[in-house]
Every structure is written in C-alpha cells, then in structure tokens.
Amino acid sequence: MSDNKTSQDTRERILDVAERLFMAHGYEGTSMRMITGDAEVNLAAVNYHFGSKEALLREVFRRRLAWLNHERLHELDALEAEAGGAPLKPSQVLEAFFGTLLRMGENEALGGMTFLRLLGRTLTEPADFIRTFFAGEYAEVIERYKLALFRALPDVPKAEIIWRFHFMLGAMSYAIAGTDILQVVTGCELGDLSGEKAGERNAAKQLAARVMPFLLGGLRAPLPQFEGDAYQQQEMPLPKTA
Amino acid sequence: MSDNKTSQDTRERILDVAERLFMAHGYEGTSMRMITGDAEVNLAAVNYHFGSKEALLREVFRRRLAWLNHERLHELDALEAEAGGAPLKPSQVLEAFFGTLLRMGENEALGGMTFLRLLGRTLTEPADFIRTFFAGEYAEVIERYKLALFRALPDVPKAEIIWRFHFMLGAMSYAIAGTDILQVVTGCELGDLSGEKAGERNAAKQLAARVMPFLLGGLRAPLPQFEGDAYQQQEMPLPKTA
DNA sequence: GCTTGGTTCAAACGTTCGTTTAAATCATAT
DNA sequence: ATATGATTTAAACGAACGTTTGAACCAAGC
C-alpha cells in the first residue's frame, strides 16, 4: 500500500466524501471544511479542482447522472426497438425508468444507495441553482419517457399522466431518501433496508419489489371524477415551451 | 389603520414570515436577518420571543400541527364511531388523513399552501433536530392511522401497508412541495396550481382530485411477487418499539 | 410621579462560512 | 541537474452567521 496521492485520487476522494456529506447534511448544512477534513485534503483543494462549492455539487451529480441518463435512454430505445413501433406496456416504461435508478443503488461503483438518497433529497432542495441544474440534466430523459407513457396509456388524458409521473417521482424519492424517517415515525423495522445485514444490493432489490407495484397501481388508477368547480378542463393545457 | 405593534403582533408576524422563508429557502438557507428584515422587527426579537432559531422553526410547525393532528384524530374518531366497530374502507382512511391536510391548503388562516409546501419539504430535511421533532409530533396520529389501515386491508401484510403508507406520504409531499419542479422538468403547465389565477383554495382542491385516486390505486395495488433472494419474509418483522 | 415588567433597540460578540493568496512541493521532460 | 507546469500547503481575507448585551422605551398599577 502506498501513500501516493495523484490529483485524480484527490478529485475523486473529494467527490466521494461530498456525495456522502451532502446526502447526510444537505447542501447548506455541509461546509467545505467538513468535506476537506473527511477527505484529508487541503481546504483550497475544492476550489482548485472544481472552482466553487456550487460547482462541486454539480460535479457530484454530473458523474452519476451521465450514466443514469444514458442508461435510461438506452433501455427505452431497446424496448421500443423490440416493440417495433407498438406502444409499450406501462409496466415496461416504469421498469425502464425506475428499475434503472434502483440498479444504481445496487452498484457501489455507481454511487450505491448513498447517491440514490442524495438524489431523492436534493430534488426537493429549494436553492435556485440546484433546481436549474436538475431541470437541464433531466429534461431530455423526462421528455422521452413522458411521450412513452402517453403512448402506453392512450386513454388517459396527458395532463393526468404528467401529474401521475410527478406523484411517482415523489413516492420513489421519498422511499429512497426518507427510509429512516418512516422507521422513526412508525416505530417499526421494515426489513433490512438500512443495509447493515444483507448489504445495499439487497436493500435496493427489496425496495424495487415493494415500490414498483405501488407505482403501477397508482399510474393505472381509475381517473378522478371532476365535480363542481374543483376542476374544469380534462385535456392537457398548452405546453409552456416546445 | 394604526401602527401600533403589540408583542402578539410581533410574534405572529415573525412566525408568518419565517414560515414563508423556510418554505422558500429551507432552514439552513434562511437567516435570522432575512426573517427579521422581512418582518420589520429587530434582529433580537426572535431570540427574545422564541429563544433560538431552532425553537422558532419548532414553533412555526407547532402552531399548525396542533390543528392538523387534532383534526386528523377527530376525523378518524368520527368515521370509526359511524362505522360502529366495522373496519373502515381504505378510501375513507385516506380521505381523513390526506383530505384533512389538503383542507389546510385551502384555508389561509391555517397556513394555506405555504405551510403545506413547507411541511412537504421539511419532511426530507436532514437536520437531526428536525427529524426528532417531527417524529414526536407525528407519532400518535401515524399510529392511529396505521392501525386503521391494518383493519381496512386485512388481507395485506402489515409490513406492506407500512411501506405503502410511506410511499403515499412521499407522493403527497412531493406533489405539494415540488410543484414548480415538475413544471420546469416537463415544460408543461399543469393547470392553475400555481395559484395565481383561481387562488390557493382551488389549487388544493385540484391537487386533491388528482392525487387521491393515485394514492388509492397504489395502496390497493396487487401484492408484489417475491422471487429469488430479493425478499424472504412476507410477514411484518417485529416492531422495534412498543 | 414613579416604579415595574415586558418589549424593542442599536451595537457588538465570537464563530464559521466560502474564497483567495503566495509560497512550497511534487512530477515530469529536457 | 534543472526548468516547468501542476498540485498542495498554511494562512489569511471579508462577509455573514446565530446569539448576547445593556440601555432605551412603553404601557399599566400604585
């Protein structure tokens, strides 16, 4: 074993530690000194390698989302090629979108459950630059899957599909990010999702088995009855952008 | 109109402003000076009236959760009394739990959508004292509704119900907190949920009409098939606490 | 009128924040 | 060996943070 530290090591060690600390304490709750301290690098190393704390957070996500985005598009391409122009089944679309995500949680080299939890939590972070960044990173993939869901559910109004896509994202984010909250709230163990007994691979697999039926049930639920003034339009409003 | 400011005014003005700013920027992202500046009170007023920034956040929630907890228990009591010992329908339980919440969003005096968004976002805040606080505030209500769901779904394993309760909380939190995120991501308007056209009352009603069928569909989805090593136990693990 | 207890005020406290600087160190190629 | 560019280092920067202080202010009771 050697104590040599190449600059590549420094960069990645910073990213790994930042990923874990941002997950545990949030963006504003994690200081540069916490990161550089845990990573055993000099305080100035972050600004030297990444430029700023904001840029560091972006890079933490970019190295993971690059794989996730590519994989999600690839899976959808493969399914659509196999279907030969026919609409996919809703379960196939969900499996491609959320299954890909959950497979990241099984693979330590892709960030494992740490990154999944970070992702789930960060989606609700209020900081403007974070939301702007995510919108840009996600736009293409979301658009593709949105269209796939439209085709998979031709009888469901498009606005309703978008709403339910939103609800599914929330259920998944929360399921991943807030595992321990529920344990506290319910006072119950929920199996070894905490990952200490059977490791994180099993945790992600268990979560998948639990959450996918729920999502599919919600997506395919009967359409709401609109009465009174609660809701007037059944069709999708005009898109704001192209 | 008078410029008289009683100390009661000061307290409530601080709470109102803090509620709005914590919602918009998160706990760590909101400084005391932002709060006292917007509320037009002296910087020291927060520590005088509440003791600390942490205590201020707790009080922001306490004044709203007192009503919400009471109302949720009251609704459940009424339903169970009406049922006369028979199990409730799942839709009744969800209507009592989430309908009560959404009714807060229609009532400006109870915090309106601002508090709902704050609640949804804060549930995923990583700070320890926040999670501890919520666990204590929520414990009794969650326990009651958990048991009601057990009775409403006698054929569903209890662990599965807890999981799905968790998923429903996530979908609802996300639906409330992250409205604008989805608009950015999808590039679509989703009706006037932003509340500028028809006001917040309608926003909450629309959301209710959209999300309740989704939740019910997820809650009543077919049970997952457990194959291989992904999941071994179908029954609920032993509770950690009483 | 004067005291009293609650409230507001400007000012400062010490700490921590993200960032910058300039020198020191390292790796590599001539 | 020495020059060069990349990296690391210790130290400091100004700003912002949550909190505290002690005097000023104000309404009510005697």
Side-chain angles (χ1 to χ4, degrees), chain A residues 123 160 163 193 210 231, chain B residues 123 160 163 181 193 210 231:
Chain A
L123 284 180
E160 197 67 37
W163 274 103
L193 218 172
R210 300 293 200 177
Y231 191 68
Chain B
L123 283 179
E160 197 67 37
W163 274 103
I181 283 188
L193 217 172
R210 300 295 199 177
Y231 191 68

Side-chain angles (χ1 to χ4, degrees), chain A residues 17-190:
Chain A
V17 170
E19 184 172 74
R20 179 168 50 80
L21 292 183
F22 283 147
M23 180 272 286
H25 307 108
Y27 174 74
E28 312 257 20
T30 303
S31 70
M32 308 273 285
R33 285 166 179 83
M34 290 165 65
I35 297 171
T36 56
D38 271 29
E40 300 183 50
V41 301
N42 187 271
L43 173 60
V46 169
N47 284 286
Y48 174 78
H49 283 283
F50 302 98
S52 69
K53 188 186 177 186
E54 283 193 16
L56 170 62
L57 180 72
R58 277 191 289 264
E59 189 56 32
V60 164
F61 279 101
R62 220 186 304 271
R63 71 169 176 166
R64 306 293 187 197
L65 292 182
W67 182 91
L68 179 61
N69 285 337
H70 177 273
E71 195 71 6
R72 277 176 163 168
L73 292 177
H74 179 75
E75 293 248 340
L76 193 54
D77 287 338
L79 284 175
E80 290 180 339
E82 190 181 352
L88 302 177
K89 297 195 311 186
S91 62
Q92 290 179 297
V93 181
L94 293 199
E95 174 59 37
F97 189 83
F98 292 109
T100 306
L101 180 73
L102 288 164
R103 241 167 289 130
M104 283 189 86
E106 305 173 16
N107 191 333
E108 212 58 36
L110 299 174
M113 290 297 284
T114 299
F115 176 72
L116 256 58
R117 292 200 181 96
L118 174 63
L119 184 60
R121 288 192 172 150
T122 309
L123 284 180
T124 61
E125 283 259 357
D128 270 344
F129 85 96
I130 295 179
R131 302 156 74 104
T132 305
F133 170 73
F134 267 100
E137 288 284 320
Y138 261 139
E140 181 188 359
V141 173
I142 295 283
E143 185 66 21
R144 281 286 311 277
Y145 275 83
K146 202 178 66 179
L147 295 178
L149 283 177
F150 288 169
R151 297 192 62 211
L153 297 161
D155 297 330
V156 180
K158 291 177 179 176
E160 197 67 37
I161 293 177
I162 294 178
W163 274 103
R164 293 183 176 188
F165 200 178
H166 197 184
F167 300 150
M168 290 190 294
L169 280 170
M172 181 62 81
S173 294
Y174 206 78
I176 291 170
T179 296
D180 23 18
I181 284 189
L182 186 74
Q183 288 189 9
V184 170
V185 168
T186 63
C188 288
E189 287 276 1
L190 288 174

